[in-house]
Amino acid sequence: MATLTVPSSVPAVAEDCEQLHKAFEGWGTNEKLIISILAHRNAAQARAIRRGYAEAYGKELLRALGDEIHGKFERAVILWTLDPAERDAVLANEEAKKSHPGGRALVEIACARTPAQLFAVKQAYHDRFKRSLEEDVAAHVTGDFRKLLVPLVSAYRYDGPEVNTSLAHSEAKILHEKIHKKAYSDEEIIRILTTRSKAQLLATFNSYKDQFTHAINKDLKADPKDEFLSTLRAIIRCFTCPDRYFEKVIRLALGGMGTDEDDLTRVVTTRAEVDLKLIKEAYQKRNSVPLERAVAKDTTRDYEDIMLALLGAE
Amino acid sequence: MATLTVPSSVPAVAEDCEQLHKAFEGWGTNEKLIISILAHRNAAQARAIRRGYAEAYGKELLRALGDEIHGKFERAVILWTLDPAERDAVLANEEAKKSHPGGRALVEIACARTPAQLFAVKQAYHDRFKRSLEEDVAAHVTGDFRKLLVPLVSAYRYDGPEVNTSLAHSEAKILHEKIHKKAYSDEEIIRILTTRSKAQLLATFNSYKDQFTHAINKDLKADPKDEFLSTLRAIIRCFTCPDRYFEKVIRLALGGMGTDEDDLTRVVTTRAEVDLKLIKEAYQKRNSVPLERAVAKDTTRDYEDIMLALLGAE
């Protein structure tokens, strides 16, 4: 379900490094060459290229890139070239420093990754920032968002398929009761959403629908402008329908006045090797336009080129 | 600093298994033989013996032990023979099911292990109980203890030596202000104690003493009978002076009316391969009696034998 296209015969690492080094040389940068290499290598290959480049030229590849390219193109290339866990650590760190994270990076990293992947992100966070993700979120985020986001990024959820159906039934009741009372930041809602396994949560949401006829997310739409409510819905959608969740993030990033390149770049770089094909299908279905065409319309130049390359455009 | 004594030439795994099998055979069990083997093997050796025994005799060693021995002796042998992470998972699970954990297992596992060891415990918990440690604590523990213990067992703390001294200074001030107001379960106290790295916390407690002349634990002794306060003190002592913390647990387990074998067994089995020698030194210093003599006085028979063996008694 990835959109990433890797050539059937990949050049040797040394050759990729040499080409990249050439792309940086002389007057001006060869952005097309950078894209033709980095946007068509998977995470393991990018790791090998970074290692090889540093050995061959005594300079970190990401630093060399940063000296040559700029703005949203730079951000896209660098995020993409990072290891997935490092990339998430960088994205999480940007959000963790805000007092009211309006963005979705923390929710996506906590809920649309496996527990093992989330743990790898935390290890990468330690290595890179010499602090823990949870301590940064706890120290910067305030109010109800802190009550929700700290346990959300902290828990190491069980990842197995086992489901306790009577527990799903009783916790669906608890969720309904609290939502009915508009007690959205109640500690029971937070406890259930932040500690239960994905399989258990899916059973709970199904039981909710069976018992109360509405999907839980319908009931969480009381005030569409409420940021906390929309965060709760994002958490639930990252578990229940990640492809449609990410389709919506991209749709909102492209729609309206101006393009939200941060959101677009985040979704494309974090999902290109995972499920971006499904997200593209969901986009086409929802908007009757291929995602590549919508992206091409809203972006320009090198940034457009790398987005389209990662989207698997022919 | 371990007390565990392993013979200089350890028998082959197959031989250990055969001897254990012999110890279970016939009328009566040879407890001395069990102790002479299992109490003198380290964690890696015990793991190999468990694997070898199951292969040779088609039965789990721990199950065979459970059929042959009983009571506090059984508990000590089985806890000791488990892998350290599994042992902690079992101890944590016992505590996580109580609404007000009066015991100290969760605090010790969260604060007197490295972050990597705590993570291994969580993985072992998943494997064994098909749930997560944090979800069990969150679902069973209530009130202020939940607010404290859920983040305590959830956080993956940074483990490096880096310290931010101005942060230590300001967070010592926050702790002092909250303690002064007797707001012991304030979310700032909980945030600091549950998310900061050990190195950072030690700096904060030092700054506390420098700024306010009292050690923080002195200020947390307002009501010696308050369970929440004594839990906060236990957390702090597990970070600052684990040997003296464990000495006190053993002292209280041995002192008074009757012996608390659960506490004694927990400390001896979890520390024999870590720092039980330091704990013994702290005990001798504090009580002017060798710990082995105190244990021998308060325990009997096979249970006494395995405790003394793990304490490294000659």
Side-chain angles (χ1 to χ4, degrees), chain B:
Chain B
M1 308 329 118
T3 52
L4 172 66
T5 57
V6 176
S8 52
S9 97
V10 178
V13 172
E15 199 182 317
D16 274 349
C17 293
E18 202 186 315
Q19 290 296 311
L20 284 168
H21 192 65
K22 267 194 199 146
F24 305 152
E25 270 177 344
W27 196 82
T29 305
N30 188 341
E31 288 86 359
K32 298 252 172 299
L33 184 54
I34 294 174
I35 294 171
S36 75
I37 299 170
L38 292 177
H40 298 283
R41 300 292 180 272
N42 65 28
Q45 291 161 341
R47 213 176 300 141
I49 292 172
R50 281 171 67 188
R51 208 178 308 122
Y53 190 94
E55 279 168 17
Y57 303 104
K59 187 174 183 180
E60 292 296 329
L61 174 62
L62 297 183
R63 194 172 294 264
L65 283 164
D67 289 347
E68 294 292 327
I69 60 179
H70 306 285
K72 55 202 176 191
F73 176 57
E74 175 191 1
R75 183 173 165 85
V77 172
I78 287 188
L79 279 177
W80 168 249
T81 307
L82 283 168
D83 219 40
E86 268 183 294
R87 180 197 301 137
D88 278 351
V90 168
L91 292 167
N93 178 254
E94 292 172 357
E95 283 285 300
K97 292 183 295 191
K98 301 174 186 167
S99 65
H100 279 80
R104 289 282 174 261
L106 291 174
V107 168
E108 293 166 12
I109 291 164
C111 307
R113 313 289 187 260
T114 67
Q117 287 170 335
L118 173 59
F119 181 68
V121 175
K122 294 190 201 189
Q123 291 182 301
Y125 201 101
H126 284 199
D127 288 344
R128 197 173 176 105
F129 301 109
K130 308 295 171 199
R131 293 188 307 277
S132 72
L133 171 56
E134 33 273 74
E135 83 181 294
D136 278 355
V137 175
H140 296 290
V141 180
T142 54
D144 284 346
F145 277 91
R146 169 151 106 185
K147 278 171 58 183
L148 176 66
L149 294 177
V150 174
L152 195 73
V153 302
S154 298
Y156 177 60
R157 294 177 201 258
Y158 179 59
D159 199 20
E162 293 85 352
V163 163
N164 179 334
T165 48
S166 72
L167 186 71
H169 188 85
S170 65
E171 293 196 337
K173 266 204 167 77
I174 295 174
L175 291 174
H176 184 260
E177 183 198 320
K178 301 298 180 185
I179 291 171
H180 189 72
K181 287 184 187 160
K182 297 189 191 301
Y184 304 119
S185 63
D186 182 276
E187 59 180 48
E188 283 293 277
I189 292 187
I190 291 174
R191 174 183 69 77
I192 295 167
L193 293 182
T194 62
T195 66
R196 294 304 186 193
S197 73
K198 178 173 174 169
Q200 183 66 34
L201 283 175
L202 297 187
T204 301
F205 302 147
N206 282 331
S207 172
Y208 189 103
K209 202 169 178 181
D210 291 343
Q211 291 182 69
F212 309 109
T213 68
H214 278 118
I216 180 168
N217 261 6
K218 273 251 164 81
D219 288 347
L220 285 170
K221 255 188 191 145
D223 176 358
K225 284 198 181 138
D226 184 306
E227 264 294 321
F228 189 81
L229 276 183
S230 81
T231 304
L232 292 181
R233 292 198 306 273
I235 290 169
I236 292 167
R237 287 171 61 88
C238 278
F239 283 118
T240 55
C241 51
D243 49 345
R244 285 190 290 135
Y245 164 82
F246 285 113
E247 181 280 324
K248 188 173 175 188
V249 175
I250 291 185
R251 176 167 22 106
L252 297 178
L254 295 175
M257 311 254 289
T259 305
D260 188 328
E261 284 97 1
D262 276 358
D263 279 353
L264 180 63
T265 300
R266 188 182 73 252
V267 175
V268 169
T269 57
T270 60
R271 309 312 289 187
E273 219 176 330
V274 185
D275 59 358
L276 195 47
K277 206 171 254 178
L278 294 178
I279 298 167
K280 270 166 66 175
E281 286 168 16
Y283 189 91
Q284 164 96 45
K285 204 167 152 192
R286 174 70 173 72
N287 304 281
S288 312
V289 175
L291 178 54
E292 289 95 323
R293 201 186 304 160
V295 168
K297 190 166 152 273
D298 271 35
T299 59
T300 56
R301 299 164 49 100
D302 307 319
Y303 179 68
E304 174 184 353
D305 292 344
I306 188 162
M307 286 295 106
L308 292 179
L310 292 176
L311 280 162
E314 300 294 301

Side-chain angles (χ1 to χ4, degrees), chain A residues 46-301:
Chain A
R47 214 176 299 141
I49 292 172
R50 282 171 66 187
R51 208 178 308 122
Y53 191 94
E55 279 168 17
Y57 303 104
K59 185 172 183 180
E60 292 295 329
L61 174 62
L62 297 183
R63 194 172 295 264
L65 283 164
D67 289 346
E68 295 291 328
I69 60 178
H70 306 285
K72 57 200 174 193
F73 176 58
E74 175 191 2
R75 181 173 165 84
V77 172
I78 288 188
L79 279 177
W80 169 248
T81 307
L82 284 168
D83 220 41
E86 269 182 294
R87 182 196 300 138
D88 279 351
V90 169
L91 292 167
N93 178 256
E94 292 172 357
E95 283 284 301
K97 292 184 295 193
K98 302 174 184 168
S99 66
H100 277 81
R104 289 281 173 264
L106 291 174
V107 167
E108 292 166 12
I109 291 163
C111 307
R113 312 289 187 261
T114 66
Q117 287 169 336
L118 174 58
F119 180 69
V121 175
K122 294 190 201 186
Q123 291 182 299
Y125 201 101
H126 284 199
D127 289 344
R128 197 173 178 105
F129 301 109
K130 308 294 170 202
R131 292 188 307 277
S132 73
L133 171 57
E134 31 275 74
E135 84 181 294
D136 277 355
V137 175
H140 297 291
V141 180
T142 54
D144 284 346
F145 277 90
R146 170 151 105 183
K147 279 172 58 185
L148 176 64
L149 293 177
V150 174
L152 195 73
V153 301
S154 299
Y156 178 59
R157 294 177 200 259
Y158 179 61
D159 199 22
E162 292 85 353
V163 162
N164 179 334
T165 48
S166 72
L167 185 71
H169 189 86
S170 64
E171 294 196 335
K173 267 205 166 78
I174 295 173
L175 291 173
H176 184 261
E177 184 198 319
K178 301 298 180 186
I179 292 171
H180 189 71
K181 286 183 189 160
K182 298 191 192 298
Y184 304 120
S185 62
D186 182 276
E187 59 181 48
E188 282 292 278
I189 291 187
I190 290 173
R191 173 183 68 78
I192 294 167
L193 293 182
T194 61
T195 65
R196 294 304 185 192
S197 74
K198 177 172 175 171
Q200 183 67 34
L201 283 175
L202 296 187
T204 301
F205 302 147
N206 281 331
S207 172
Y208 189 103
K209 202 168 178 183
D210 291 344
Q211 290 182 70
F212 310 109
T213 69
H214 279 119
I216 181 169
N217 261 6
K218 273 252 164 78
D219 288 347
L220 286 169
K221 255 188 191 146
D223 176 358
K225 284 196 181 138
D226 184 303
E227 264 294 323
F228 189 80
L229 276 183
S230 80
T231 305
L232 292 180
R233 292 198 305 274
I235 291 169
I236 292 167
R237 286 171 62 88
C238 278
F239 283 118
T240 56
C241 51
D243 50 344
R244 286 190 291 135
Y245 164 83
F246 285 114
E247 180 280 325
K248 189 175 175 185
V249 175
I250 291 185
R251 176 164 25 104
L252 297 178
L254 295 175
M257 313 251 290
T259 305
D260 188 327
E261 283 96 0
D262 276 358
D263 278 353
L264 181 63
T265 300
R266 187 182 74 253
V267 175
V268 168
T269 57
T270 60
R271 310 311 288 187
E273 219 175 330
V274 185
D275 58 358
L276 194 48
K277 206 171 254 180
L278 294 178
I279 298 167
K280 270 167 67 174
E281 287 168 14
Y283 189 92
Q284 164 95 46
K285 204 167 151 191
R286 175 70 172 72
N287 305 280
S288 311
V289 176
L291 178 55
E292 288 96 323
R293 202 186 302 162
V295 169
K297 189 165 152 275
D298 271 33
T299 59
T300 56
R301 300 166 45 102

